[in-house]
Amino acid sequence: FFLAMVLVLSLVLFANIKIGVVLPMTGGIAAFGDMTWKGIELAQEMYPEVLGEKIDLVLVDNRSEKTEAANAVSRVIDKEKVVAIIGEVASAHSLAGGAVAERKRIPMLTSSSTNPLVTNRKKYVSRVCFIDPYQGAAAAIFAFKNLNARKAAVFIDVEQDYSVGLANFFKKKFQELGGNYFIEFFKTGDQEFSAQLTDAISKNPDVLYITGYYPEISLFARQARMLGFNGPILAGDGAEAPELIKIGGDAVEGLYYTTHFHPKGAATEMTKVFVEKFKEKFGFEPGALHALGFDAYLVLRKAIEIAGKADPKAIAVAIRQVKNFEGATGMITINKNGDAEKSVVIDVVKNGEFTYVTTVNPAAE
Ligand code: PHE
């Protein structure tokens, strides 16, 4: 009996804490998965333990697909028996995967899904990033005040909840400020935007606002320039991946986008530590998704600490008790809806590099 007790005790004591990570490691937006994972890897290397136990990460690829986004969450919960999940990247994927996590009562923390519906009326899904009403407003203010735009052509990817939502929040704020807009549609995977662009350009917009992800944005910018549009192009956080510049080339020079982080916009002491360690490990400067992945791991680890045990329900509650936590992207407070309230960074592509412009707080405008 004594021996059995020792065995059980040591199992309990040395059982690692298992966390699932669901990301797009292949498929359309694989660059996002790669960036997020690098941030998570670094965080685990720096903080490998919590409550005296080792944290084990189980990475599963959602192949950049909605059905796989849900399947992958089921898999880490049912097969791997994780106590929490970090994921996913695209809002459509977090909506699909989050529904499963909510039903199975396993906390899921997304690093970068910004559509408000991702956490809406959920107890188990939270995020370490701002939400799109905020991001859309920041873009509208920037377009109106900094770019002096009065007429915007808004391009919407009808397949992405992220894009549809972000475009709507932009429109609302831009109109409020006194600007007007018109809309053009496209969908994920499109390679040809000349019909929409020709129509848009004929209406003489001051700015093209494209909400979507880098594969489409890079081609879109090339075609916009080829068709003779010389004005500013503005995008959302979905623009930032090295591929944007690789594919977009000269056409994305001068492209502005709203995002979460830039190493030059150092927000906290942790930003400096993060940037240093990241460069040491990977040999290049980190971007927004690297920083957000890093923060998601740290916030989840903090929540496990607050919970005092690796219990899914307690962790879910504790995530929303994280206040004024010093992350790489800024001070993180998770509110009762499971959302983080943070400022928006604006970057521009300059000489083939993502360059810091400014940090804005749309709530204050
Ligand atoms: N915000 C995007 C979404 O919700 C995801 C994203 C964030 C992509 C940051 C790139 C960088 O779908």
Side-chain angles (χ1 to χ4, degrees):
F1 175 77
F2 177 73
L3 220 75
M5 274 304 283
V6 169
L7 225 134
V8 168
L9 217 88
S10 58
L11 269 178
V12 171
L13 282 176
F14 300 111
N16 294 352
I17 293 177
K18 224 174 181 187
I19 292 174
V21 180
V22 179
L23 298 172
M25 300 308 292
T26 59
I29 52 169
F32 290 157
D34 174 71
M35 293 170 81
T36 309
W37 179 241
K38 283 193 165 71
I40 296 171
E41 268 188 303
L42 174 63
Q44 190 198 23
E45 213 172 278
M46 290 169 63
Y47 306 93
E49 290 178 356
V50 66
L51 306 176
E53 289 173 18
K54 198 178 164 297
I55 296 176
D56 272 349
L57 298 175
V58 186
L59 173 64
V60 175
D61 176 17
N62 68 20
R63 294 192 237 141
S64 301
E65 285 167 16
K66 288 182 205 176
T67 11
E68 273 312 301
N71 289 343
V73 169
S74 290
R75 202 171 331 138
V76 288
I77 296 173
D78 297 338
K79 291 226 176 83
E80 303 289 345
K81 312 279 184 224
V82 301
V83 294
I85 297 165
I86 299 176
E88 301 186 23
V89 175
S91 288
H93 299 163
S94 286
L95 281 164
V100 177
E102 185 74 13
R103 201 171 61 235
K104 296 183 184 280
R105 304 206 171 126
I106 296 295
M108 178 166 139
L109 185 62
T110 166
S111 53
S112 58
S113 292
T114 45
N115 186 282
L117 296 175
V118 167
T119 54
N120 191 33
R121 300 173 63 188
K122 293 204 177 77
K123 288 201 176 83
Y124 286 85
V125 185
S126 302
R127 67 182 119 214
V128 297
C129 53
F130 54 61
I131 56 175
D132 286 333
Y134 216 60
Q135 176 173 205
I141 294 165
F142 185 78
F144 193 89
K145 296 193 175 160
N146 300 58
L147 302 177
N148 256 315
R150 293 299 174 264
K151 193 199 266 186
V154 179
F155 290 77
I156 301 177
D157 182 339
V158 292
E159 288 202 346
Q160 298 297 340
D161 302 83
Y162 157 70
S163 176
V164 175
L166 184 57
N168 278 326
F169 300 119
F170 172 88
K171 282 165 12 189
K172 193 163 160 271
K173 186 70 183 184
F174 195 66
Q175 200 165 36
E176 239 172 72
L177 292 167
N180 45 66
Y181 65 86
F182 58 90
I183 294 169
E184 304 278 350
F185 297 104
F186 67 99
K187 61 183 198 317
T188 302
D190 280 358
Q191 311 245 334
E192 196 37 71
F193 303 91
S194 47
Q196 298 96 314
L197 277 167
T198 307
D199 181 64
I201 293 168
S202 77
K203 293 175 179 156
N204 269 317
D206 302 316
V207 62
L208 307 184
Y209 182 51
I210 174 165
T211 57
Y213 300 131
Y214 66 90
E216 289 78 27
I217 299 174
S218 49
L219 295 176
F220 171 92
R222 290 180 76 110
Q223 292 166 28
R225 296 307 181 210
M226 223 145 66
L227 291 167
F229 182 76
N230 294 319
I233 303 176
L234 180 62
D237 52 357
E240 197 196 297
E243 281 70 4
L244 179 88
I245 294 170
K246 260 182 244 152
I247 304 166
D250 280 350
V252 297
E253 270 296 307
L255 181 140
Y256 290 98
Y257 64 95
T258 48
T259 187
H260 309 258
F261 162 92
H262 191 283
K264 296 268 150 39
T268 65
E269 276 307 306
M270 185 56 107
T271 312
K272 290 178 206 151
V273 174
F274 164 71
V275 173
E276 267 316 297
K277 295 271 178 193
F278 190 94
K279 283 199 285 199
E280 225 173 87
K281 181 170 168 69
F282 296 108
F284 59 92
E285 294 241 323
L289 281 177
H290 299 119
L292 287 168
F294 182 85
D295 281 355
Y297 179 95
L298 290 194
V299 166
L300 184 54
R301 179 172 172 273
K302 175 77 189 172
I304 296 170
E305 215 170 82
I306 295 172
K309 54 185 176 185
D311 168 68
K313 174 139 195 238
I315 298 170
V317 171
I319 287 173
R320 296 180 183 193
Q321 288 166 354
V322 172
K323 307 282 173 224
N324 290 316
F325 181 81
E326 197 177 320
T329 57
M331 297 303 285
I332 302 173
T333 291
I334 314 284
N335 66 23
K336 61 179 191 325
N337 302 321
D339 303 327
E341 290 157 12
K342 289 151 81 190
S343 349
V344 179
V345 170
I346 296 177
D347 285 355
V348 67
V349 180
K350 205 171 166 185
N351 301 322
E353 272 178 36
F354 297 120
T355 309
Y356 178 72
V357 177
T358 183
T359 303
V360 293
N361 186 346
E365 299 265 344

